[in-house]
Amino acid sequence: MILLALFITAAARHHKSQTSSQKHGHSRVTPSPTLPFPYKSFRLPAYIRPNHYLIDLRPNYDQLTTAGNVSINVTSSKKSNFIILHKKHVNILDVKVSELNSKKDIKVIKTDEYHKYNFYYIKLEHYLQPNKGYLIHVRFTSQIKTKVLHGLYRSHYRAASGMTRYLYSTHLEATHAREIFPCFDEPAMKAIFTLTITSPPGYTAISNSEIHKKKVLQNNYTLNEFHPTPPMSTYLVALVVSDFKNLEGRTINNVRVRTWANPLMYKYTNYSLHVTMKVIPFYGKTFGVAYPLPKMDLVAIPEFAAGAMENWGLILYRETSMIYNKWVNTLRTKQWVTVVVAHELAHQWFGNLVTMKWWSDIWLNEGFAAFMEHVGTNHVAPEFQMMKQFLLRNFRRAQYADSLPTIHPLVSTATNSDQIESLFDSISYKKGSCLIRMVRDYLGIPNFNQGIRHYLSTYKYKNADHNNLWQALQWASHGKVNISSMMSTWALQPGYPVVTLGSHNNNGTATISQQRFLSVRKSKSGDYGSITASSLWHIPISFQTKNNRTGKFMLLKRADIFPWKNTDGWIKLNSNQIGYFTVNYNIQNWNSLTDQLKKDFLVFNDIDRYQLLGDTYMLARPGLLTIKVFLNMTTYLFKEKNYLPLYAGLYSLSVIKQAMSYNKIIHQKFEAYIYRLIRPQIQRLGWKHQASYLQSKLQHLILVYGVHYNDSTIKSYSLSAYHQWVYNNTRLPTKFRSLILSVAMKYGGQPAEKVMMDKYLHTSSSSMKRLYFAIMATSKDPTFLNKLLVMTLDPSKVRIEETVTYMSSVARNSVGSKLCWEFYKKHFQIIHKRYNSESFSLSHLMNSLTSRFNTEAQYKEVKDFYRVHNNVGVAKSTIPIILSKIRARIDWKILNEADVIQWANKHLT
């Protein structure tokens, strides 16, 4: 506390001084001559650590600039005559370094910059001494951005009067804090932050911590000084200056919760408020560490690049991720809001309280949050059955990405900002969450929770890596298992295994083996045998047999002996699809499992039925199993009534139908087959209220398929409801609104296009805008689709945050796919200039653009385009991934075409 008082006193003295001179140790910054930069690493020196920042920001909201001062209390653990900070697009006016205790200045004799790593080098006349405190004071200016959604940037909304109102907010993950103030911008450089910022009349400023004091200045601006934060990383610093309104509540632990939005929308944050007040104490109890701050603010930002950002004590969201109006929005929106709120709140522990040492372990943040969002949502809204939905939302999507030969491991190297941003992908989020789920089941929930509590209590306010997590879980297992050895096989190498169980041996056993699963088998140099041969996992396997024998087995070698007796009958591995792997069997066992489904499918629960359909389809992609096994298995679906297996079967059949579109006869056979499968479901479910949420999702799924296959009853009902809505101003049923509007677009021609466009342009709701655009994007009119694409780059009609989502919706359209690709190529420079530092946006768009490409000509076109246009910034790693996906579709056709045709001609009349 004495050291802190000295720091604040010294820093205050520097903040008051706006002049500098060399004799007092200040360096008036001038350009340095072009010489080799004197520091070689891409990481900051680890021996100089920040302890406390005092940051004073005085924005000029009209000129979009900020005048600032930052004083950083640092300690050096060894002698050094230089200091390195991060800065980007920040103009440093002067810099001063002094001893904290004596206040004696240390002369700055040179400054230099290295733009590649955003380094600012400060050369000192004398050495910093070990374990002594020093103060770095920097006076600077920075920019308030308007064309990108990071750093400190301006966004806007339209008020009830029709006037444009502005607000100012931050987004600093992963490396954007350096765009606002000079700092040690690495996650391990944790420090306390005391922030001060001025706000205009009628505006409120909020930050990570509570307001300490306010002062009205002569220009009627308010000077807002916030309490010090806990020790945290720079990327978690947050500020919002707005005229928003809020709702307020308190948790059972007396944490003040406020939910903010623009004055037209703030009352619809009441559900987010409810979720937050339930989840914070639940997580505190589950993790054994109470939420450490006295308050939590959630703000719905009109223009926000990510879905949300977990800044400690001040979480920022897209409007569509936080606002729920039960009279307008569907249960799907309610689920989404619950999930996103639960995800960001999980970060308050995993990421904020304990932070990864370096971005290579970003999965420790995102994988945990992507898993806990299901647990948290399940606590607040068990009707959503999130632990079942995990398989659709995370498991299969993770495996799809992880089956590519070009994918990175969970723990990956990152040596610059672009590489760091590229790690925010489905591997870090979805694969990470799958591995958390697997090890949780392996240890048992009580032991797992005990290990997590140990991890959080040991490393709170500090940093950790994956080894620290394994050690904590090892401790909780009481030495019974080697978690570190097991989990390193999953975290340190890319991909995942396919486990193959061979035929019975004569002694009541069978050979079980593993190899890396790859959805792409062909390459110019042959196959990927060398990759699969070098991979080995420690795989926990559960199983059940026809005769109700259950058990567990650990596969530690490439091949081993598995206990499987002839009297067991069929066997099924990986119960409830807990293990992150795919399973293959000998053809006799596959046939027995298929026969069981046809005879009595309820022997398997819905998760296991979903797994059987998913595994057979996945195995056929690279030719590890004939596609006929999957197709034979789908015939049991006429009796199925559950969401998960019907989703798996219908989705994969639709992909096969699309892949065979060049063969008109086979394509039509599959269209007829899929319609035969869904027709009884349409009759069973209809438009009736469903008792469970998953049955409601199934109903929507079936009706959507019915629209695609021109079901006459759906067409008749929908057009009638649509005409009543347009001409009589009746209300569309919220649950079926998107379905009804899609029918109208399909059959309504230009009049329907005009109605949807008018609705889009005049609604103030972000979620409704997204709905209307998605409906318009289903049009089969090329002229209209091109009009939509032009709109996506017009900020007056489409918010910057929504451009990628809207373009992607056009790209998914069979007519729009080629149009969107050509539009993207034509406007490549504009798009990539706007999104070159947002990995989520760019990667999502690049994947969507080519999601329907499946020919050699298309593969060559994409490859040639990116060979020339490879300046895609953070999304550079996406290029080999999308090429691998196109190659996988091409290979699928080569490997499966003959079997699909043969099966269709035999079974589909």
Side-chain angles (χ1 to χ4, degrees):
M1 292 301 293
I2 295 173
L3 185 64
L4 178 61
L6 286 170
F7 163 57
I8 292 174
T9 302
R13 177 170 60 89
H14 295 320
H15 277 292
K16 291 176 182 177
S17 174
Q18 296 299 308
T19 62
S20 63
S21 65
Q22 288 294 331
K23 71 177 184 178
H24 287 106
H26 281 285
S27 173
R28 177 75 63 180
V29 177
T30 56
S32 300
T34 304
L35 295 171
F37 192 73
Y39 181 75
K40 303 302 181 185
S41 176
F42 69 94
R43 297 281 298 275
L44 294 173
Y47 49 82
I48 299 179
R49 312 284 295 192
N51 303 308
H52 195 149
Y53 290 77
L54 286 184
I55 303 170
D56 186 357
L57 301 175
R58 307 294 175 105
N60 185 319
Y61 295 104
D62 295 324
Q63 296 183 8
L64 299 175
T65 59
T66 298
N69 287 274
V70 59
S71 294
I72 314 173
N73 171 337
V74 302
T75 304
S76 181
S77 61
K78 73 176 205 178
K79 290 178 66 174
S80 176
N81 65 345
F82 69 91
I83 299 167
I84 295 180
L85 300 173
H86 283 114
K87 82 172 190 73
K88 184 179 182 182
H89 307 316
V90 170
N91 179 32
I92 292 184
L93 302 177
D94 55 46
V95 59
K96 180 177 180 178
V97 179
S98 61
E99 295 181 1
L100 186 61
N101 289 339
S102 69
K103 302 180 178 62
K104 181 180 178 181
D105 294 328
I106 303 174
K107 185 176 181 180
V108 175
I109 60 175
K110 175 187 175 183
T111 61
D112 199 358
E113 296 186 40
Y114 188 40
H115 295 292
K116 180 178 180 181
Y117 296 139
N118 310 138
F119 282 163
Y120 183 72
Y121 177 88
I122 305 169
K123 182 68 177 291
L124 304 173
E125 184 176 47
H126 301 296
Y127 280 82
L128 305 180
Q129 298 301 311
N131 303 317
K132 288 188 66 175
Y134 296 90
L135 188 68
I136 308 166
H137 176 72
V138 185
R139 188 164 61 91
F140 62 92
T141 61
S142 57
Q143 302 296 314
I144 299 174
K145 298 175 173 63
T146 59
K147 295 183 179 180
V148 294
L149 305 180
H150 54 73
L152 175 61
Y153 69 93
R154 184 182 74 180
S155 56
H156 70 280
Y157 71 94
R158 194 169 299 280
S161 64
M163 292 182 60
T164 297
R165 300 289 294 171
Y166 292 109
L167 65 144
Y168 307 85
S169 59
T170 56
H171 182 75
L172 305 189
E173 191 180 40
T175 59
H176 300 301
R178 63 192 69 174
E179 298 172 14
I180 302 179
F181 56 94
C183 57
F184 297 85
D185 201 10
E186 292 185 0
M189 297 289 186
K190 285 193 169 185
I192 296 167
F193 294 82
T194 301
L195 286 91
T196 301
I197 191 170
T198 52
S199 56
Y203 276 63
T204 301
I206 51 179
S207 187
N208 305 86
S209 51
E210 296 271 22
I211 281 282
H212 174 53
K213 58 184 177 182
K214 293 184 178 184
K215 179 182 178 181
V216 179
L217 306 177
Q218 289 183 345
N219 60 359
N220 288 326
Y221 274 50
T222 300
L223 184 66
N224 306 274
E225 181 182 334
F226 296 91
H227 281 287
T229 69
M232 67 183 195
S233 305
T234 48
Y235 77 89
L236 294 171
V237 173
L239 288 161
V240 176
V241 179
S242 73
D243 64 350
F244 283 5
K245 294 184 177 182
N246 70 279
L247 303 178
E248 183 173 330
R250 288 191 177 269
T251 70
I252 57 173
N253 308 106
N254 205 35
V255 175
R256 183 173 73 151
V257 179
R258 296 181 297 183
T259 53
W260 301 77
N262 75 64
L264 293 175
M265 293 291 175
Y266 82 97
K267 61 184 177 182
Y268 301 123
T269 65
N270 59 329
Y271 182 67
S272 295
L273 179 67
H274 164 76
V275 173
T276 304
M277 291 195 298
K278 292 285 187 182
V279 170
I280 286 178
F282 170 70
Y283 281 166
K285 182 178 180 180
T286 301
F287 303 144
V289 180
Y291 175 70
L293 300 183
K295 68 94 173 178
M296 168 59 73
D297 285 304
L298 295 78
V299 188
I301 305 294
E303 294 173 292
F304 198 73
M309 177 58 208
E310 67 267 18
N311 314 296
W312 215 353
L314 174 53
I315 305 176
L316 307 185
Y317 296 81
R318 282 192 184 190
E319 288 183 337
T320 52
S321 299
M322 186 175 155
I323 291 172
Y324 171 68
N325 178 354
K326 67 179 181 180
W327 303 110
V328 173
N329 299 125
T330 63
L331 285 177
R332 181 181 179 183
T333 300
K334 185 178 183 181
Q335 176 190 300
W336 175 247
V337 169
T338 315
V339 165
V340 178
V341 171
H343 179 105
E344 303 308 323
L345 290 174
H347 275 308
Q348 307 304 298
W349 286 263
F350 297 99
N352 300 3
L353 184 66
V354 179
T355 311
M356 71 274 150
K357 290 179 180 177
W358 183 243
W359 298 104
S360 54
D361 266 317
I362 184 59
W363 80 273
L364 287 175
N365 289 20
E366 301 302 348
F368 260 106
F371 176 72
M372 288 307 303
E373 70 188 31
H374 293 80
V375 178
T377 299
N378 199 55
H379 172 73
V380 177
E383 65 271 17
F384 291 141
Q385 296 181 263
M386 292 305 300
M387 304 316 289
K388 285 189 176 183
Q389 290 200 59
F390 181 92
L391 295 166
L392 285 177
R393 301 181 73 250
N394 287 30
F395 193 98
R396 192 58 74 189
R397 292 178 183 181
Q399 286 198 332
Y400 180 60
D402 211 17
S403 68
L404 301 172
T406 49
I407 204 66
H408 64 83
L410 192 64
V411 178
S412 294
T413 303
T415 60
N416 57 51
S417 294
D418 285 351
Q419 290 180 0
I420 291 168
E421 289 285 350
S422 71
L423 294 179
F424 289 81
D425 63 2
S426 59
I427 297 301
S428 296
Y429 283 74
K430 299 189 183 302
K431 179 178 181 177
S433 68
C434 290
L435 298 189
I436 294 299
R437 175 175 176 260
M438 181 174 72
V439 74
R440 178 178 182 251
D441 179 83
Y442 180 69
L443 286 174
I445 294 176
N447 285 342
F448 176 81
N449 286 345
Q450 188 180 21
I452 293 305
R453 291 167 185 164
H454 183 62
Y455 171 76
L456 291 172
S457 62
T458 301
Y459 298 103
K460 62 184 178 182
Y461 305 114
K462 300 175 186 177
N463 297 81
D465 62 19
H466 57 278
N467 288 318
N468 300 133
L469 175 63
W470 306 150
Q471 290 162 6
L473 295 177
Q474 178 75 39
W475 172 84
S477 73
H478 308 293
K480 294 180 181 178
V481 294
N482 191 332
I483 292 296
S484 180
S485 177
M486 170 185 160
M487 294 308 297
S488 291
T489 68
W490 296 94
L492 301 182
Q493 61 182 339
Y496 66 94
V498 52
V499 172
T500 301
L501 187 64
S503 300
H504 288 284
N505 297 324
N506 293 328
N507 58 354
T509 64
T511 299
I512 190 169
S513 61
Q514 61 166 293
Q515 68 179 62
R516 181 176 172 184
F517 179 84
L518 290 172
S519 58
V520 181
R521 284 295 179 191
K522 300 178 74 65
S523 70
K524 289 185 178 179
S525 58
D527 64 13
Y528 291 97
S530 61
I531 297 177
T532 59
S534 63
S535 303
L536 182 70
W537 289 265
H538 293 182
I539 310 173
I541 301 170
S542 56
F543 65 88
Q544 72 174 99
T545 70
K546 181 178 181 180
N547 293 336
N548 295 321
R549 186 167 72 90
T550 61
K552 293 185 177 182
F553 183 88
M554 177 65 80
L555 181 59
L556 302 174
K557 301 184 291 186
R558 221 167 297 285
D560 207 343
I561 302 301
F562 185 88
W564 183 21
K565 302 175 183 178
N566 287 320
T567 55
D568 285 332
W570 54 254
I571 190 168
K572 184 196 167 296
L573 307 186
N574 201 13
S575 302
N576 292 310
Q577 203 161 26
I578 294 293
Y580 184 66
F581 56 92
T582 296
V583 183
N584 200 1
Y585 308 97
N586 63 77
I587 193 64
Q588 291 81 10
N589 195 62
W590 276 124
N591 290 338
S592 296
L593 290 167
T594 301
D595 289 343
Q596 180 64 67
L597 285 169
K598 292 178 180 178
K599 180 181 178 181
D600 181 11
F601 65 92
L602 293 177
V603 167
F604 307 108
N605 64 36
D606 55 342
I607 293 176
D608 285 339
R609 301 197 300 272
Y610 168 83
Q611 179 201 349
L612 289 170
L613 289 160
D615 279 357
T616 51
Y617 179 75
M618 289 285 283
L619 290 164
R621 291 175 63 202
L624 295 179
L625 182 69
T626 171
I627 193 71
K628 292 179 182 178
V629 174
F630 166 75
L631 293 170
N632 285 332
M633 197 173 283
T634 63
T635 60
Y636 103 88
L637 289 173
F638 286 102
K639 298 182 288 185
E640 183 62 79
K641 295 182 179 181
N642 285 81
Y643 176 64
L644 287 177
L646 278 166
Y647 180 96
L650 292 172
Y651 173 79
S652 298
L653 285 170
S654 297
V655 173
I656 294 171
K657 183 206 71 171
Q658 178 184 318
M660 300 300 294
S661 59
Y662 66 94
N663 186 322
K664 185 176 180 180
I665 293 175
I666 300 300
H667 185 262
Q668 288 176 343
K669 284 177 179 287
F670 273 96
E671 281 199 327
Y673 179 51
I674 294 171
Y675 185 65
R676 280 172 49 216
L677 283 171
I678 66 169
R679 181 60 184 160
Q681 303 288 350
I682 294 173
Q683 294 171 336
R684 180 176 71 89
L685 298 168
W687 308 89
K688 297 177 290 188
H689 171 74
Q690 300 301 314
S692 79
Y693 179 69
L694 287 188
Q695 277 296 297
S696 181
K697 285 180 73 69
L698 173 62
Q699 179 185 42
H700 184 265
L701 176 74
I702 293 298
L703 292 175
V704 167
Y705 275 103
V707 173
H708 182 78
Y709 293 104
N710 304 310
D711 182 83
S712 59
T713 59
I714 296 175
K715 177 183 177 181
S716 175
Y717 176 92
S718 299
L719 289 180
S720 174
Y722 173 75
H723 290 137
Q724 289 291 321
W725 176 63
V726 171
Y727 299 114
N728 297 332
N729 201 30
T730 59
R731 187 183 182 87
L732 288 176
T734 302
K735 180 178 178 180
F736 302 118
R737 180 176 52 214
S738 63
L739 188 87
I740 292 167
L741 295 180
S742 68
V743 173
M745 277 300 294
K746 184 171 185 175
Y747 299 104
Q750 290 185 351
E753 292 172 359
K754 185 177 183 302
V755 169
M756 299 305 168
M757 183 63 75
D758 185 66
K759 293 289 184 181
Y760 171 85
L761 293 174
H762 289 93
T763 183
S764 61
S765 166
S766 298
S767 61
M768 292 306 296
K769 277 188 178 294
R770 182 176 281 196
L771 169 66
Y772 290 130
F773 196 98
I775 296 299
M776 291 190 290
T778 65
S779 171
K780 301 302 181 184
D781 178 0
T783 302
F784 185 67
L785 291 175
N786 271 318
K787 180 180 178 181
L788 295 181
L789 289 171
V790 172
M791 274 178 57
T792 62
L793 294 183
D794 182 353
S796 69
K797 294 180 179 177
V798 174
R799 286 176 173 170
I800 293 174
E801 68 178 49
E802 296 288 11
T803 294
V804 166
T805 300
Y806 290 2
M807 285 184 67
S808 297
S809 65
V810 176
R812 287 191 293 270
N813 183 331
S814 59
V815 175
S817 177
K818 182 65 174 176
L819 296 174
C820 199
W821 172 246
E822 294 300 324
F823 182 84
Y824 167 78
K825 290 192 295 182
K826 181 178 178 181
H827 298 89
F828 174 84
Q829 296 300 336
I830 296 173
I831 294 168
H832 281 268
K833 184 177 180 180
R834 184 187 285 187
Y835 299 106
N836 67 354
S837 61
E838 296 171 16
S839 60
F840 263 153
S841 298
L842 271 184
S843 180
H844 177 64
L845 177 60
M846 291 167 66
N847 274 283
S848 297
L849 288 167
T850 57
S851 61
R852 301 179 73 92
F853 287 14
N854 60 2
T855 67
E856 291 286 358
Q858 289 169 326
Y859 179 89
K860 183 178 184 302
E861 181 182 357
V862 174
K863 187 175 183 180
D864 290 346
F865 178 78
Y866 284 120
R867 183 183 290 117
V868 176
H869 301 83
N870 59 5
N871 57 326
V872 294
V874 297
K876 194 166 187 176
S877 61
T878 302
I879 296 173
I881 290 174
I882 61 176
L883 288 172
S884 292
K885 288 181 178 180
I886 299 171
R887 173 58 59 195
R889 295 184 204 110
I890 295 169
D891 287 355
W892 184 94
K893 182 179 175 182
I894 294 170
L895 293 166
N896 293 289
E897 176 186 35
D899 282 350
V900 168
I901 292 173
Q902 187 180 64
W903 188 88
N905 285 331
K906 180 178 179 180
H907 296 278
L908 306 180
T909 56

